[in-house]
């Protein structure tokens, strides 16, 4: 036998780009040197060999490297090449050992290895032996030889095994003895930052952060996958589109995986891989069911999965018990493509049927174990419409109502129109799914198609009547979107008339729609009872969607009743129910939390929820929630002193409401616009808008700004009586606060103080703040008097503190506007000067200001001069403009 000086596959290390940080792994390899064995076991293309070569380049110890081939499973050949590799670092085998290797007869393995170990003691320092591609050996004698070496290795020797599957060695015993260092597939995956560096510095690609993130996710950090993708993109003009389409069917990935992985496996393992590739998740019994006993080997599905994991065949465990697994995304793509290519020869139709049979087996297994959503998924993939419909309907609880909106809607969207039209039940399902997904535009057309399909059916048939009831229930929900109370009630009653008594899911949905109708009519108690009933039943039967919607409804009622702490918890629970990513409908919870945190004067948290709400409303069609979100944002911006930005939000809301005829939102928009106009000193415009939209509370505010307290009181008195009669706690609080301000302005301080105490009593349990703070200087006077006279001094003092913080901070979005104001002024305005400046902005004359503040006219004029000097202006209009520019108004 001709003995080469080194193995023909001896790897020559080459330096890797320093842009890719692998220092953390190299450090782990350095740390493992005090153990006997370093095992690097990972799937193909993970960069095992490259990593070890980088490590050795930085290692002071000499290293012998032997890359193995299948032919090396012969013990004599293996030992021959092993001695040749060791020869390169000064370990010579000697004439006797070489004679034993070439002699006929049984090979004295232990004698030869003992001689080798004796030779290694002559090496003065530590050295490393690397066995690369150890998986190709698959030889019991060589495994025994390596075990013998490990047991008797001298302290200066360290063994490194690079392999795609775990060697048949006593790894557990080595772990217990702390003699084993390990790196596996998960350790070798590139992080997002490493992927970005690799693609940029090594492969020379200029990709966006989003493209890198998609590619890293698609390849799951698999180094070879990243490299293959990069090779595909070089010279490609539209890299982004290629990244989006990158999969296991791409020819670079296909060639690599077929050559390096798939063709190396036995026919039985290949069959297992191909047929189970239809599964998103794998477990032993499920694989057995899908295969149906068609494999040649006697291994069970669980045993095969465990073998695949040991062999690092792109399989990822999903739990610590090693019951559930999944394939690497790119590997799964390849397997599915190959499945269609190889099933049933060259007949595409037969291949489709054979794959459908695999999906049906999976569907049956999932259904047997009560996993209806997964069973539906595979029934749809098998094109078995009857089975898919039965699974969607569920046993008393349709999948739609359990939150499976997207998969059901995607399947229905993919169905041919003639298939849908022939089955009224599918049209009703489609309408329901569209509505739940926030896409109401096409719902009525689906319902009409269903009604047309029912025309020939027996009218007294239970299924027909129930389907008609379901259609009416969907129309009631459509009317909820447009806030039509009478239409909701009419359709809900029709639904209850037709629905089967056992159809609790749809009947419960109808209870919820009735609750919303009662809320629209102002009967909050009836609404609360309906929501509570719907919530109780939906929880019992597992109706996910109505549980969510009834929770939102209850939160809204609690908020209106000033139970703000309870309402906040209810809204938070709704956000939890909404999932991640959230369903668009939970925008209502974010809106509620934005309003509550605004009332608690936590403007930052309120803004976060307001922005989240508006973002979610973008996913909804034909809904006024986007308008409601803009109004909330406007109120928040106004509170922060961003008057121009608030006006812009309201202009946007008004435009949307006008274009889409969202009539119910117009009063809320107008009321917020009145506030903005009053802040801008445009009292006449505010009065016109309040009168045009018949907003009595806004009109009362205008009267107060005009100094007409008696007119304001005349408007507020009947409103208070109505709020008290109907039990509207939120309205009662707002009106009582305004009445107190009006009475104080009118000089009736005792009555004003009594009403203020009443308002604070109502507000205290909910922690209300902004209802008082937003009334500005007049409210500050009332609160000071309350503190002085010890009328709820604790709560009044807290409100005064928040008002002072508002003044000092300037309510700016950055929290630093007051600093800018101070730097822009020769001297900051005092509290009294700011108070007078506010009244000037409201259009009050010096005489009116003197009467309102109980100051001498000359004193007011003196304050005016100070204000003008500090603002560096000469006239009242210039003072107001300058103050707005500085954020003082």
């Amino acid at each position: 036998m001709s003995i080469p000086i080194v193995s023909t596959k001896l790897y020559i290390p080459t330096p890797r780009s320093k842009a890719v940080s692998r220092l953390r792994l190299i450090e782990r390899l350095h740390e493992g040197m005090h153990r006997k064995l370093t095992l690097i076991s990972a799937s193909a293309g993970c960069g095992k060999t490259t990593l070890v070569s980088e490590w050795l380049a930085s290692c002071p110890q000499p290293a012998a490297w032997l890359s193995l081939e299948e032919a090396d499973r012969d013990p004599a050949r293996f030992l021959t090449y092993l001695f040749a590799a060791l020869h390169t670092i000064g370990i010579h085998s000697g004439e006797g050992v070489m004679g034993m290797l070439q002699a006929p007869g049984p090979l004295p393995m232990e004698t030869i290895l003992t001689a080798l170990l004796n030779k290694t003691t002559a090496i003065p320092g530590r050295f490393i032996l690397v066995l690369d591609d150890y998986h190709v050996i698959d030889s019991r004698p060589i495994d025994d030889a390596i075990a013998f070496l490990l047991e008797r290795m001298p302290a200066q020797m360290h063994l490194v095994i690079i392999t795609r599957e775990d060697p048949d060695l006593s790894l557990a015993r080595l772990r217990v003895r702390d003699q084993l260092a390990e790196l596996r597939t998960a350790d070798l995956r590139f992080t997002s930052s490493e992927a970005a560096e690799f693609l940029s510095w090594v492969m020379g690609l200029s990709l966006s952060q989003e493209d890198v993130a998609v590619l890293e996710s698609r390849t799951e950090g698999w180094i070879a996958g990243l490299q293959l993708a990069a090779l595909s993109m070089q010279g490609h003009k539209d890299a982004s589109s290629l990244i989006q389409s990158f999969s296991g069917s791409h020819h670079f990935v296909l060639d690599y995986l077929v050559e390096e992985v798939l063709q190396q496996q036995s026919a039985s393992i290949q069959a297992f891989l191909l047929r189970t590739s239809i599964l998103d998740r794998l477990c032993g019994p499920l694989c057995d069911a899908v295969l149906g006993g068609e494999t040649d080997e006697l291994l069970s599905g669980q045993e095969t999965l465990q073998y695949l994991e040991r062999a690092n065949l792109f399989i990822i465990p999903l739990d610590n018990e090693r019951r559930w697994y999944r394939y690497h995304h790119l590997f799964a793509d390849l397997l599915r493509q190959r499945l269609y290519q190889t099933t049933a020869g060259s007949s595409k139709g037969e291949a489709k049927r054979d794959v459908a049979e695999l999906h049906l087996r999976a569907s049956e297994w999932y259904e047997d174990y009560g996993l209806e959503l997964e069973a539906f998924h595979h029934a749809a993939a098998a094109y078995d419409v009857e089975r898919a419909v039965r699974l969607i309907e569920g046993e008393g609880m349709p999948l739609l109502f359990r939150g499976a909106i997207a998969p059901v809607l995607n399947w229905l969207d993919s169905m041919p129109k003639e298939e849908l039209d022939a089955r009224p039940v599918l049209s009703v399902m489609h309408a329901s799914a569209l509505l739940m997904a926030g896409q109401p535009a096409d719902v009525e057309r689906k319902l009409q198609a269903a009604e047309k399909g029912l025309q020939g059916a027996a009218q007294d048939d239970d299924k027909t009547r129930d389907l008609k009831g379901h259609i009416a229930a969907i129309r009631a929900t459509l009317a909820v979107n447009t806030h039509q109370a009478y239409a909701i009630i009419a359709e809900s009653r029709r639904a209850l008339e037709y629905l089967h008594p056992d159809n609790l899911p749809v009947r419960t949905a109808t209870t919820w729609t009735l609750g919303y109708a009662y809320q629209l009519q102002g009967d909050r108690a009836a609404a609360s009872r309906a929501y509570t009933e719907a919530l109780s039943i939906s929880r019992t039967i597992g109706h996910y969607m109505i549980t969510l919607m009834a929770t939102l409804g209850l939160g809204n009622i609690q908020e209106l009743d000033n139970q703000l702490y309870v309402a906040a918890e209810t809204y938070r629970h709704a956000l939890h129910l909404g999932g991640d990513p959230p369903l668009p409908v939970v925008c209502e919870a974010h809106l509620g939390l934005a309003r509550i945190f605004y009332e608690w004067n936590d403007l930052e948290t309120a803004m976060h929820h307001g922005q989240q709400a508006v973002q979610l409303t973008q996913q909804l069609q034909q809904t006024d929630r986007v308008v409601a979100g803009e109004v909330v944002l406007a109120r928040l911006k106004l509170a922060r002193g961003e008057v121009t930005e608030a006006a812009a939000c309201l202009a946007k809301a008004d435009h949307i409401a006008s274009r889409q005829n969202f009539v119910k939102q117009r009063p809320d928009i107008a009321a917020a616009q009145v506030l903005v106009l009053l802040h801008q000193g445009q009292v006449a415009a505010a009065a016109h808008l309040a009168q045009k939209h018949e907003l009595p509370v806004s009109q009362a505010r205008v009267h107060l700004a005009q100094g007409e307290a008696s007119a304001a009181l005349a408007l507020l008195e009947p409103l208070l009586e109505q709020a008290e009669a109907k039990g509207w706690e939120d309205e009662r609080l707002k009106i009582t606060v305004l009445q107190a301000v009006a009475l104080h302005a009118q000089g009736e301080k005792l009555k004003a103080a009594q009403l203020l105490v009443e308002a604070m009593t109502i507000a205290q349990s909910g922690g209300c703040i902004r209802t008082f703070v937003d009334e500005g200087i007049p409210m500050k006077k009332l609160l000071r008097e309350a503190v002085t006279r010890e009328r709820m001094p604790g709560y009044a003092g807290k409100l005064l503190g928040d008002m002072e913080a508002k003044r000092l901070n300037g309510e700016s979005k950055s929290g630093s506007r007051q600093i800018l104001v101070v730097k822009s002024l020769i001297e900051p305005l005092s509290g009294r000067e700011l108070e007078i400046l506010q009244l000037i902005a409201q259009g009050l004359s010096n005489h009116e200001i003197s009467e309102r503040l109980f100051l001498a006219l000359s004193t007011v004029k003196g304050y005016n001069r100070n204000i003008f000097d500090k603002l560096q202006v000469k006239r009242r209009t210039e003072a107001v403009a300058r103050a707005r520019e500085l954020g003082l108004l």
Side-chain angles (χ1 to χ4, degrees):
M1 176 185 292
S2 173
I3 302 176
I5 294 189
V6 294
S7 166
T8 54
K9 284 181 62 185
L10 185 63
Y11 186 83
I12 306 298
T14 55
R16 193 174 180 189
S17 169
K18 63 181 180 181
V20 180
S21 172
R22 306 291 276 174
L23 294 178
R24 57 189 173 86
L25 296 177
I26 290 175
E27 185 62 31
R28 285 180 62 179
L29 290 172
H30 280 308
E31 292 171 356
M33 280 288 291
H34 73 276
R35 299 180 175 94
K36 285 188 173 185
L37 170 64
T38 292
L39 176 66
I40 303 174
S41 179
S43 51
C46 284
K48 302 181 292 294
T49 299
T50 304
L51 174 66
V52 175
S53 73
E54 286 180 357
W55 168 53
L56 293 180
S58 65
C59 237
Q61 293 86 3
W65 188 300
L66 176 61
S67 289
L68 298 165
E69 300 173 344
E70 283 190 41
D72 296 333
R73 66 183 57 181
D74 172 66
R77 180 183 171 93
F78 170 78
L79 290 173
T80 299
Y81 282 111
L82 176 61
F83 279 110
L86 290 170
H87 183 82
T88 63
I89 59 171
I91 299 176
H92 303 286
S93 58
E95 296 281 339
V97 170
M98 296 310 297
M100 283 187 283
L101 288 172
Q102 297 180 23
L107 196 65
M109 290 285 287
E110 291 190 5
T111 303
I112 294 173
L113 291 172
T114 300
L116 168 64
L117 292 171
N118 291 334
K119 294 288 183 181
T120 61
T121 58
I123 299 293
R126 304 200 69 185
F127 70 94
I128 301 166
L129 171 62
V130 179
L131 301 179
D132 194 7
D133 288 339
Y134 190 84
H135 56 276
V136 303
I137 296 294
D138 193 20
S139 166
R140 181 72 259 174
I142 293 177
D143 287 338
D144 291 340
I146 297 301
F148 183 88
L149 273 178
L150 285 168
E151 193 67 31
R152 295 163 177 78
M153 262 170 47
Q156 66 261 47
M157 181 177 179
H158 183 73
L159 178 63
V160 176
I161 293 179
I162 304 172
T163 179
R164 293 184 187 177
E165 56 189 76
D166 285 1
D168 192 7
L169 302 171
S170 298
L171 299 179
R173 186 172 62 186
L174 291 168
R175 286 191 195 101
V176 170
R177 294 177 177 178
D178 193 29
Q179 295 175 342
L180 174 66
E182 297 175 84
L183 289 179
R184 297 191 172 274
T185 301
D187 302 307
L188 296 171
R189 287 179 184 142
F190 270 24
T191 64
S192 296
S193 60
E194 288 174 340
E197 289 178 353
F198 173 77
L199 293 167
S200 174
W201 292 95
V202 179
M203 302 306 295
L205 296 173
S206 179
L207 301 176
S208 69
Q209 188 175 353
E210 292 76 12
D211 285 342
V212 171
V214 170
L215 197 53
E216 190 273 333
S217 173
R218 196 76 188 86
T219 60
E220 300 185 73
W222 179 43
I223 301 169
L226 284 168
Q227 187 172 18
L228 293 167
L231 290 171
S232 304
M233 284 181 281
Q234 288 176 345
H236 202 284
K237 293 182 179 179
D238 189 1
S240 292
S241 63
L242 187 64
I243 288 171
Q244 295 297 330
S245 64
F246 187 68
S247 69
S249 62
H250 194 277
H251 68 93
F252 280 110
V253 182
L254 182 66
D255 293 345
Y256 184 88
L257 290 175
V258 168
E259 181 179 346
E260 293 290 326
V261 179
L262 201 55
Q263 290 181 354
Q264 306 301 318
Q265 306 305 313
S266 67
S268 179
I269 293 297
Q270 288 191 47
F272 181 95
L273 291 169
L274 292 174
R275 291 170 188 169
T276 59
S277 68
I278 66 160
L279 302 170
D280 294 325
R281 297 185 302 156
L282 308 98
C283 71
L286 173 58
C287 292
D288 289 334
V290 169
L291 293 168
E294 295 177 7
T295 53
D296 298 329
E297 294 185 359
L298 298 177
L299 290 177
S300 68
Q302 189 63 36
E303 290 169 331
T304 306
L305 291 172
Q306 290 169 352
Y307 162 76
L308 295 176
E309 184 182 9
R310 288 194 304 271
N312 289 307
L313 274 175
F314 295 93
I315 192 168
I316 300 167
L318 300 177
D319 55 47
N320 293 330
E321 291 78 23
R322 297 308 204 257
R323 294 178 182 172
W324 286 94
Y325 297 82
R326 71 169 176 86
Y327 291 124
H328 185 292
H329 295 321
L330 291 179
F331 192 51
D333 288 341
L334 161 74
L335 292 174
R336 289 167 191 149
Q337 185 195 30
R338 295 280 292 179
L339 175 65
Y340 279 96
Q341 289 175 347
T342 58
T343 304
S346 59
S347 170
K348 190 173 181 180
E350 289 181 21
K352 190 174 181 180
R353 285 192 295 275
D354 288 347
V355 173
E357 176 61 29
L358 297 176
H359 280 293
L360 280 176
R361 292 174 187 172
S363 179
E364 290 167 358
W365 186 89
Y366 274 120
E367 186 179 11
D368 288 343
Y369 282 87
L371 300 169
E372 288 89 352
L373 179 57
E374 290 83 356
F376 159 73
H377 168 78
H378 285 286
Y383 309 100
D384 191 329
V385 177
E386 296 295 337
R387 180 176 182 79
V389 170
R390 179 174 61 77
L391 288 165
I392 291 175
E393 290 177 327
E395 294 185 2
M397 178 55 62
L399 286 178
L400 279 173
F401 297 161
R402 282 182 268 174
I405 300 168
V408 173
L409 182 57
N410 290 339
W411 178 66
L412 290 167
D413 284 341
S414 70
M415 293 282 287
K417 182 179 181 298
E418 56 273 15
E419 188 81 55
L420 291 172
D421 290 345
R423 303 167 188 264
V425 65
L426 286 182
S427 294
V428 173
M429 284 181 185
H430 207 170
S432 186
L434 287 168
L435 196 55
M436 290 184 192
Q439 303 173 32
D442 206 29
V443 170
E444 181 58 34
R445 190 175 66 81
K446 299 293 181 186
L447 295 179
Q448 290 175 8
E451 287 175 328
K452 184 178 180 181
L454 288 173
Q455 287 176 359
Q459 297 303 306
D460 293 332
D461 177 73
D462 281 349
K463 286 189 176 181
T464 301
R465 287 182 59 81
D466 191 66
L467 209 53
K468 286 183 176 181
H470 198 166
I471 291 169
I474 293 172
R475 286 199 171 113
T477 308
L478 268 180
V480 166
N481 280 359
T482 51
H483 318 291
Q484 302 174 50
Y486 293 111
I488 296 170
I489 292 172
E491 292 293 349
S492 296
R493 287 174 177 168
R494 174 177 167 82
L496 293 173
E497 177 187 351
Y498 279 92
L499 286 168
H500 194 278
D502 294 338
N503 191 346
L504 285 180
V506 183
R507 295 183 76 89
T508 305
T510 305
T511 302
W512 168 74
T513 56
L514 283 171
Y516 188 74
Y518 300 147
Q519 183 177 337
L520 288 174
Q521 292 177 331
D523 191 345
R524 296 177 184 175
S528 181
R529 288 193 296 271
Y531 289 148
T532 302
E533 181 185 350
L535 183 58
S536 175
I537 298 173
S538 64
R539 282 174 173 168
T540 301
I541 65 177
H543 195 324
Y544 166 80
M545 285 305 299
I546 293 303
T547 298
L548 174 57
M549 299 307 296
T551 300
L552 290 170
L554 273 180
N556 199 236
I557 296 296
Q558 292 160 354
E559 181 189 350
L560 294 172
D561 286 344
N562 281 340
Q563 301 175 44
L564 300 189
Y565 294 106
V566 177
E569 283 306 308
T570 302
Y571 284 138
R572 290 189 188 103
H573 181 56
L575 290 180
H576 173 73
L577 290 173
D580 186 19
L583 289 172
V585 72
V586 299
C587 67
E588 199 65 48
H590 282 297
L591 285 173
L593 287 168
R595 292 188 296 264
I596 290 171
F597 279 101
Y598 171 84
E599 185 59 46
W600 288 341
N601 206 25
D602 184 348
L603 300 185
E604 183 178 348
T605 304
M607 183 61 74
H608 164 74
H609 284 292
Q611 290 169 340
Q612 290 280 60
V614 170
Q615 185 177 349
L616 285 170
T617 61
Q618 307 302 321
Q619 302 175 37
L620 298 169
Q621 296 176 358
Q622 295 182 346
T623 175
D624 61 2
R625 296 298 82 198
V626 64
V627 174
E630 291 294 341
V631 171
V632 167
L633 291 182
R635 293 293 301 272
L636 286 166
K637 290 178 185 296
L638 188 61
R640 299 201 308 187
E642 302 166 13
V643 182
T644 303
E645 292 87 341
C649 282
L650 292 173
K652 179 180 179 181
D654 193 47
H655 174 71
I656 296 171
S658 298
R659 189 181 63 205
Q660 300 195 31
N661 197 30
F662 292 147
V663 178
K664 187 176 182 293
Q665 291 299 324
R666 300 309 293 271
D668 290 341
I669 298 169
Q673 287 174 325
V674 168
L675 293 175
V676 170
L677 291 169
L678 290 176
H679 269 75
Q680 294 172 330
Q682 300 181 45
V683 180
H688 173 74
L689 193 63
Q691 186 175 11
K692 175 184 175 182
H693 289 275
E694 300 179 353
L695 304 172
V697 173
S698 296
Q699 287 176 297
R701 290 189 182 282
V702 171
H703 285 311
L704 287 172
Q706 293 170 332
E708 301 168 355
S710 58
L713 287 168
L715 283 169
L716 293 171
E717 186 61 36
L719 294 179
L720 182 62
E721 292 176 1
Q722 182 187 50
E724 289 176 337
K726 294 189 175 183
W728 293 353
E729 287 299 297
D730 58 331
E731 293 299 315
R732 181 185 166 204
L733 174 60
K734 294 172 189 173
I735 295 165
T736 303
V737 166
L738 282 175
Q739 280 184 317
V741 171
L743 286 167
H744 193 273
Q746 199 167 255
E748 299 183 52
K749 294 186 178 181
L750 183 58
K751 284 186 177 180
Q754 290 172 342
L755 282 178
L756 177 64
V757 170
E758 184 181 334
M760 288 193 293
T761 302
I762 299 169
Q764 191 169 21
S765 62
C768 299
I769 296 174
R770 291 299 311 195
T771 297
F772 298 89
V773 170
D774 288 343
E775 299 308 320
I777 294 170
M779 178 55 64
K780 186 184 290 187
K781 288 182 179 180
L782 271 167
L783 291 170
R784 281 175 179 165
E785 291 175 9
V787 172
T788 302
R789 298 178 183 181
E790 295 189 351
R791 291 174 171 171
M792 297 184 69
Y795 198 57
K798 172 178 171 51
L799 294 172
L800 271 174
D802 279 294
M803 294 191 81
E804 189 63 23
K806 171 186 175 183
R807 181 183 71 79
L808 291 174
N809 292 331
E811 296 286 359
S812 69
K813 60 185 174 183
S814 65
S816 62
R817 180 172 292 180
Q818 184 66 21
I819 297 172
L820 298 175
V821 169
V822 171
K823 289 182 178 179
S824 302
L825 297 175
I826 296 173
E827 182 184 355
L829 299 180
S830 67
R832 176 64 83 178
E833 287 164 351
L834 282 168
E835 192 174 12
I836 290 173
L837 181 59
Q838 290 275 357
L839 297 175
I840 291 173
Q842 292 176 21
L844 274 67
S845 66
N846 288 341
H847 181 72
E848 290 170 329
I849 293 172
S850 69
E851 288 183 343
R852 177 169 292 195
L853 300 182
F854 305 99
L855 297 172
L857 183 59
S858 60
T859 303
V860 173
K861 290 180 179 179
Y863 275 122
N864 283 353
R865 284 194 298 273
N866 290 341
I867 293 169
F868 292 175
D869 289 342
K870 290 179 180 181
L871 294 176
Q872 303 174 54
V873 298
K874 295 181 179 181
R875 287 180 287 276
R876 290 164 64 98
T877 53
E878 292 175 352
V880 172
R882 176 67 171 151
R884 289 204 181 100
E885 179 184 340
L886 294 171
L888 295 173
L889 293 175

